[in-house]
Amino acid sequence: MDAAAAMLDLAKRAKRASRLMAGADPAVKARALHLLADLLAAEPAGVYEANARDLEKAAAAGLDAPRLDRLRLTPAIMAAMAKACREVADMPDPVGGIDALKKRENGLLVGRMRIPLGVVCMIYESRPNVTIDAAILCLKAGNAVILKGGSEALASNMALAGVMQKALAEAGLPGDAACLVETSDRAAVAALCKLDEYIDVMIPRGGEGLIRAVSEQATMPVLKHYKGVCHAYLDAEADEDQALAVVVNAKAQRPGVCNALECLLVHADRAASFLPRAAEALGRAGVSFRACPRSLPLLGQGAVAAAPGDFGHEFHDLILAVKVVDSMDEALDHIAAYGSNHTEVILTTNHDRAMAFLRLADASMVGVNCSTRFNDGGELGLGAEIGISTSKLHAYGPMGVTELTGAKFVVLGQGQVRG
């Protein structure tokens, strides 16, 4: 069977399973996730054996040490996956909930019911634990999920998918609710992108190249997250001590993640007082600077003149772009030109400007006097997330269980007819 035919068969099976998942009892879905947690906590030998094969193959192919480390499954990682299963299992189930039921003049009750999206196809270049983390959120929301991981983790992902299907079967749910693409053939992704009759939404998670390729080929909606170019704007009326702590945390705590600070915008009235302090504090953390002409002399030896591509760049490193601006409007213009709709923050004690920034900055999370690092499903109260969407339809920001559902109108009547 060629890749196109295999993907068509897989998608058809997932579609059938999605109809069963849509009507699944919340207690049964929760039981399946608890069973999965138990199986993972038992650390099945087959998973470790499969992971060892992936590691051996990846090392022979010359994969570097950091990526080998991300590929490796350890008892701690298996325990974390089991913990995530239990946490998601115990979350409130959104499916079937009715929001804002209102009575119309004719006596009809009109509301909106949360429903599963249907079949979610998740394409990812990441650690094997994403196979579990993505699947459990989709299953909790009553969806079927098709999982396409990276070729370097294929054996590990197949083993984890087998554990998932065992838990689903024991709970009485269809095994095809969690389907794994068991090929590294790149034609499989292209084929999946054309199956809009069976797949309701694509979620690519990985490098910008992968996301753009899926977005260009897909005939169904794509929930995407291109880049995390996050800004903080230090206003003329800011508490500098508070702002300094926020900026250091946003840039230096985990510089390689998508919600790390990439560009600091500083009002001209505060540049001379704030930037030398920021240079000292961030410098101690190993941060260097790509500076505009006005900020360069204020940032010390750790700064070099910014190149044109430094603004709007996601460094994934201890590097920070810095620009002095003359107003909040100029800061917002810079964000509109170079931001990626991920996270924007204002540091200010001026309430009116804070509220204006919240309205005008276009991002999936906009904050006042807080670190960009809070744009995360766990930190925002979602419990867990499948990713951060920088698309405005259908979700904007971290996507938890509720964001993996849609809504349909429901109408409750007593024989009303339209005149």
Side-chain angles (χ1 to χ4, degrees), residues 233-236 265-269 294 324-334 353:
Y233 165 58
L234 183 92
D235 183 51
L265 304 171
V266 179
H267 193 282
D269 290 353
R294 298 166 76 183
V324 175
V325 296
D326 291 316
S327 65
M328 186 177 79
D329 286 342
E330 186 181 347
L332 288 166
D333 286 344
H334 181 96
R353 275 199 288 277

Short mmCIF file of all heavy atoms in Angstrom, two decimals, residues 233-236 265-269 294 324-334 353:
data_model
loop_
_atom_site.label_atom_id
_atom_site.label_comp_id
_atom_site.label_asym_id
_atom_site.label_seq_id
_atom_site.Cartn_x
_atom_site.Cartn_y
_atom_site.Cartn_z
N TYR A 233 7.80 46.18 26.65
CA TYR A 233 7.96 47.63 26.50
C TYR A 233 8.04 48.28 27.87
O TYR A 233 7.10 48.16 28.67
CB TYR A 233 6.80 48.23 25.71
CG TYR A 233 6.70 49.73 25.82
CD1 TYR A 233 7.76 50.55 25.44
CD2 TYR A 233 5.54 50.34 26.32
CE1 TYR A 233 7.68 51.94 25.57
CE2 TYR A 233 5.45 51.72 26.44
CZ TYR A 233 6.53 52.51 26.07
OH TYR A 233 6.44 53.88 26.21
N LEU A 234 9.16 48.94 28.17
CA LEU A 234 9.34 49.68 29.41
C LEU A 234 8.85 51.10 29.20
O LEU A 234 9.45 51.88 28.46
CB LEU A 234 10.81 49.69 29.85
CG LEU A 234 11.04 50.38 31.20
CD1 LEU A 234 10.99 49.35 32.32
CD2 LEU A 234 12.35 51.13 31.23
N ASP A 235 7.74 51.43 29.84
CA ASP A 235 7.09 52.73 29.67
C ASP A 235 7.82 53.82 30.45
O ASP A 235 8.64 53.52 31.35
CB ASP A 235 5.65 52.59 30.18
CG ASP A 235 4.82 53.83 30.00
OD1 ASP A 235 4.79 54.36 28.87
OD2 ASP A 235 4.22 54.30 30.99
N ALA A 236 7.53 55.07 30.13
CA ALA A 236 8.12 56.20 30.85
C ALA A 236 7.76 56.19 32.32
O ALA A 236 8.51 56.70 33.16
CB ALA A 236 7.68 57.52 30.21
N LEU A 265 11.96 46.95 24.40
CA LEU A 265 11.71 48.31 23.93
C LEU A 265 11.67 49.22 25.14
O LEU A 265 10.93 48.95 26.09
CB LEU A 265 10.38 48.36 23.17
CG LEU A 265 10.25 47.39 21.99
CD1 LEU A 265 8.82 47.38 21.46
CD2 LEU A 265 11.22 47.76 20.87
N VAL A 266 12.45 50.28 25.13
CA VAL A 266 12.59 51.16 26.30
C VAL A 266 12.27 52.59 25.91
O VAL A 266 12.81 53.12 24.92
CB VAL A 266 14.02 51.07 26.88
CG1 VAL A 266 14.17 52.00 28.09
CG2 VAL A 266 14.35 49.64 27.28
N HIS A 267 11.38 53.23 26.69
CA HIS A 267 11.06 54.64 26.44
C HIS A 267 12.30 55.49 26.63
O HIS A 267 13.10 55.26 27.55
CB HIS A 267 9.95 55.10 27.40
CG HIS A 267 9.34 56.41 27.01
ND1 HIS A 267 9.97 57.61 27.25
CD2 HIS A 267 8.17 56.71 26.40
CE1 HIS A 267 9.21 58.59 26.80
NE2 HIS A 267 8.11 58.07 26.27
N ALA A 268 12.46 56.47 25.76
CA ALA A 268 13.67 57.31 25.77
C ALA A 268 13.91 57.96 27.13
O ALA A 268 15.07 58.15 27.54
CB ALA A 268 13.57 58.37 24.68
N ASP A 269 12.83 58.30 27.85
CA ASP A 269 12.99 58.97 29.15
C ASP A 269 13.62 58.05 30.20
O ASP A 269 14.12 58.52 31.23
CB ASP A 269 11.64 59.45 29.67
CG ASP A 269 11.09 60.62 28.85
OD1 ASP A 269 11.83 61.13 27.99
OD2 ASP A 269 9.92 61.00 29.07
N ARG A 294 20.74 54.19 19.63
CA ARG A 294 20.51 54.94 20.87
C ARG A 294 20.77 54.10 22.12
O ARG A 294 21.12 54.63 23.17
CB ARG A 294 19.07 55.50 20.89
CG ARG A 294 18.80 56.48 19.76
CD ARG A 294 17.32 56.75 19.59
NE ARG A 294 16.79 57.63 20.62
CZ ARG A 294 15.50 57.97 20.71
NH1 ARG A 294 14.62 57.46 19.85
NH2 ARG A 294 15.09 58.78 21.65
N VAL A 324 15.42 51.75 21.68
CA VAL A 324 14.86 52.90 22.39
C VAL A 324 13.76 53.51 21.52
O VAL A 324 13.96 53.70 20.31
CB VAL A 324 15.95 53.94 22.70
CG1 VAL A 324 15.34 55.20 23.32
CG2 VAL A 324 17.00 53.34 23.64
N VAL A 325 12.61 53.79 22.14
CA VAL A 325 11.47 54.39 21.42
C VAL A 325 11.04 55.66 22.14
O VAL A 325 11.33 55.85 23.33
CB VAL A 325 10.30 53.41 21.31
CG1 VAL A 325 10.68 52.20 20.47
CG2 VAL A 325 9.82 52.95 22.68
N ASP A 326 10.33 56.51 21.44
CA ASP A 326 9.93 57.80 22.00
C ASP A 326 8.52 57.80 22.58
O ASP A 326 8.12 58.79 23.22
CB ASP A 326 10.04 58.90 20.93
CG ASP A 326 11.48 59.20 20.58
OD1 ASP A 326 12.31 59.29 21.51
OD2 ASP A 326 11.80 59.31 19.38
N SER A 327 7.77 56.72 22.38
CA SER A 327 6.39 56.69 22.87
C SER A 327 5.87 55.26 22.85
O SER A 327 6.47 54.37 22.20
CB SER A 327 5.49 57.55 21.99
OG SER A 327 5.40 57.00 20.68
N MET A 328 4.74 55.05 23.51
CA MET A 328 4.10 53.74 23.44
C MET A 328 3.61 53.46 22.03
O MET A 328 3.65 52.32 21.56
CB MET A 328 2.93 53.66 24.43
CG MET A 328 2.31 52.25 24.49
SD MET A 328 0.98 52.08 25.70
CE MET A 328 -0.38 52.84 24.78
N ASP A 329 3.15 54.50 21.33
CA ASP A 329 2.71 54.30 19.96
C ASP A 329 3.84 53.77 19.08
O ASP A 329 3.63 52.89 18.24
CB ASP A 329 2.17 55.61 19.38
CG ASP A 329 0.80 55.98 19.94
OD1 ASP A 329 0.13 55.07 20.48
OD2 ASP A 329 0.41 57.15 19.83
N GLU A 330 5.05 54.30 19.29
CA GLU A 330 6.19 53.80 18.51
C GLU A 330 6.49 52.35 18.89
O GLU A 330 6.83 51.53 18.02
CB GLU A 330 7.42 54.68 18.73
CG GLU A 330 8.59 54.28 17.84
CD GLU A 330 9.84 55.12 18.05
OE1 GLU A 330 9.76 56.18 18.71
OE2 GLU A 330 10.92 54.70 17.57
N ALA A 331 6.36 52.02 20.18
CA ALA A 331 6.56 50.63 20.60
C ALA A 331 5.53 49.71 19.94
O ALA A 331 5.87 48.62 19.46
CB ALA A 331 6.46 50.53 22.12
N LEU A 332 4.28 50.14 19.91
CA LEU A 332 3.24 49.33 19.29
C LEU A 332 3.46 49.19 17.79
O LEU A 332 3.19 48.13 17.21
CB LEU A 332 1.86 49.94 19.57
CG LEU A 332 1.36 49.77 21.01
CD1 LEU A 332 0.17 50.69 21.27
CD2 LEU A 332 0.97 48.31 21.28
N ASP A 333 3.96 50.25 17.14
CA ASP A 333 4.27 50.16 15.71
C ASP A 333 5.38 49.13 15.48
O ASP A 333 5.33 48.34 14.52
CB ASP A 333 4.72 51.52 15.18
CG ASP A 333 3.56 52.50 15.02
OD1 ASP A 333 2.40 52.06 15.04
OD2 ASP A 333 3.84 53.71 14.90
N HIS A 334 6.39 49.13 16.36
CA HIS A 334 7.48 48.15 16.24
C HIS A 334 6.94 46.73 16.42
O HIS A 334 7.30 45.82 15.66
CB HIS A 334 8.56 48.45 17.29
CG HIS A 334 9.73 47.52 17.21
ND1 HIS A 334 10.89 47.83 16.54
CD2 HIS A 334 9.91 46.27 17.73
CE1 HIS A 334 11.73 46.81 16.64
NE2 HIS A 334 11.17 45.86 17.36
N ARG A 353 -2.38 53.76 30.21
CA ARG A 353 -1.53 53.21 29.15
C ARG A 353 -1.52 51.68 29.20
O ARG A 353 -1.47 51.01 28.16
CB ARG A 353 -0.11 53.76 29.25
CG ARG A 353 0.03 55.11 28.53
CD ARG A 353 1.47 55.43 28.22
NE ARG A 353 2.24 55.79 29.39
CZ ARG A 353 2.27 57.01 29.94
NH1 ARG A 353 1.54 57.99 29.42
NH2 ARG A 353 3.00 57.26 31.01
#
